[in-house]
Amino acid sequence: MSITVPARTAVPPKGMARIPGGAFLMGSDAFYPEERPVHPVAVDGFWMDEHPVTVAEFRRFTKDTGYVTVAERDIDPADFPGADPDALVPGALVFGMTSGPVDLDDWRRWWSYRPGACWRRPLGRDSTVHGRELHPVTQVAFEDAGAYASWAGKELPTEAEWEFAARGGLEGAVFVWGDAFTPKGRRMANTWHGAFPWQYLPASARHPTPGTTAVRTFPPNGYGLYDMAGNVWEWTSDHYTERHPDPAPRTCCAPRNPRVDRPAADAPAEERFPRRVTKGGSHLCAPNYCLRYRPAARTGQSEDTATCHLGFRCVVR
């Protein structure tokens, strides 16, 4: 589907924060293997959306262009050899709490494919985004995020840009706000409290079940960016690798504006679609399962993936 891309302007659109750029230590040696090794990186300054793209913003895009997301399209049986053709109906992955503790190695206990699930109906055919216009849009695949960015005259951030921006000027801090998870008992992001995936401890009566919250619900980081931890995972433009590159032999040789433009050479042969780096964690991240609501945290998502906890934001360079 062709999309008209507006000409770029000298002044970035309203709702973007200026990220100054600079050198930083990317990654972490303290948590998950894919975050290693810590290595120096430098990025130039850029502008970034203050918050993830919202339902209202994505709706304007689809109305203007007629764009149909990946989750809404008919499924080509050739992409899923051996599958029952009657089961290949448009839809996406939706989370469901379990009734009690389960094997955390089996994600199928809490994720299920829901026919009809898409950005307009993120939890399935009977759901709606009415009243959730200021929540992050979800159920968007990588192609969908890129199409929106092109329409808006923007781009998706690289992993290095995203991580630098998420740190908000706090070099080496565990979280985007510092080292304490709940400073003075205050919740700083929309993350899972309790034992995932069956015990959820709500922050308030207004949020009794796990799910997205409106952008700007929690405090911004040092660069004025909201939801750089929790709420929804966010797409970046980089292809996923199982680890970071080794540090440059000399500080003067640290990479500047690095990006991973092609799939890893050792990517599993059975993968039908390349994986891209997603950052930030989501409302489903919990200390007992996925402590990834940190700037260094990262995971790989297949480009065709659409889920109820995955969104994006854009940059202007």
Side-chain angles (χ1 to χ4, degrees):
M1 177 178 297
S2 62
I3 294 174
T4 300
V5 179
R8 294 189 177 222
T9 60
V11 180
K14 182 181 178 181
M16 301 191 82
R18 179 65 182 173
I19 312 303
F24 75 109
L25 293 176
M26 186 173 177
S28 171
D29 290 330
F31 293 91
Y32 298 107
E34 68 271 12
E35 301 170 20
R36 304 169 187 160
V38 175
H39 59 294
V41 165
V43 296
D44 294 334
F46 57 97
W47 294 81
M48 184 175 240
D49 289 341
E50 292 177 352
H51 54 71
V53 173
T54 64
V55 168
E57 291 168 331
F58 199 79
R59 178 182 289 148
R60 286 195 291 272
F61 157 62
T62 61
K63 284 185 176 180
D64 188 43
T65 63
Y67 183 83
V68 177
T69 62
V70 171
E72 298 173 282
R73 301 174 194 167
D74 291 335
I75 299 175
D76 185 353
D79 290 334
F80 299 91
D84 180 358
D86 293 336
L88 298 178
V89 296
L93 290 173
V94 174
F95 169 81
M97 288 182 66
T98 61
S99 59
V102 295
D103 179 3
L104 295 180
D105 290 330
D106 186 3
W107 58 268
R108 291 168 297 184
R109 297 293 189 97
W110 54 88
W111 285 109
S112 62
Y113 187 83
R114 297 272 183 90
C118 63
W119 75 269
R120 307 170 195 271
R121 298 178 294 275
L123 301 182
R125 288 172 176 151
D126 296 330
S127 65
T128 179
V129 289
H130 179 69
R132 303 170 72 85
E133 287 79 8
L134 297 183
H135 286 230
V137 68
T138 59
Q139 301 294 16
V140 285
F142 180 76
E143 179 184 335
D144 306 328
Y148 174 95
S150 294
W151 169 80
K154 304 178 182 180
E155 298 175 84
L156 295 180
T158 64
E159 181 181 3
E161 289 171 334
W162 197 102
E163 185 168 329
F164 180 85
R167 292 183 179 278
L170 296 179
E171 180 70 59
V174 175
F175 304 106
V176 304
W177 53 82
D179 290 325
F181 177 44
T182 52
K184 297 183 179 179
R186 184 183 186 185
R187 293 193 184 187
M188 301 296 289
N190 180 13
T191 62
W192 187 287
H193 289 253
F196 182 87
W198 63 278
Q199 180 194 48
Y200 181 72
L201 305 178
S204 69
R206 293 180 301 170
H207 193 214
T209 58
T212 58
T213 49
V215 299
R216 301 179 187 272
T217 295
F218 294 90
N221 74 354
Y223 290 149
L225 301 172
Y226 295 83
D227 289 339
M228 295 301 278
N231 217 2
V232 293
W233 284 96
E234 299 183 13
W235 288 108
T236 73
S237 62
D238 279 17
H239 285 272
Y240 181 75
T241 57
E242 296 293 342
R243 69 188 301 275
H244 286 308
D246 291 325
R250 296 186 300 277
T251 304
C252 64
C253 302
R256 190 171 196 90
N257 301 317
R259 60 176 65 227
V260 183
D261 289 328
R262 57 180 61 87
D266 58 353
E270 66 271 15
E271 286 186 356
R272 287 188 295 269
F273 299 94
R275 286 186 293 168
R276 302 280 179 158
V277 176
T278 57
K279 299 281 284 184
S282 78
H283 61 273
L284 299 180
C285 283
N288 74 310
Y289 175 65
C290 174
L291 209 166
R292 288 185 168 88
Y293 35 82
R294 298 171 292 102
R298 58 199 297 268
T299 190
Q301 291 285 0
S302 173
E303 289 183 356
D304 68 326
T305 296
T307 73
C308 62
H309 73 331
L310 177 57
F312 69 102
R313 77 178 74 206
C314 304
V315 299
V316 169
R317 299 186 179 93

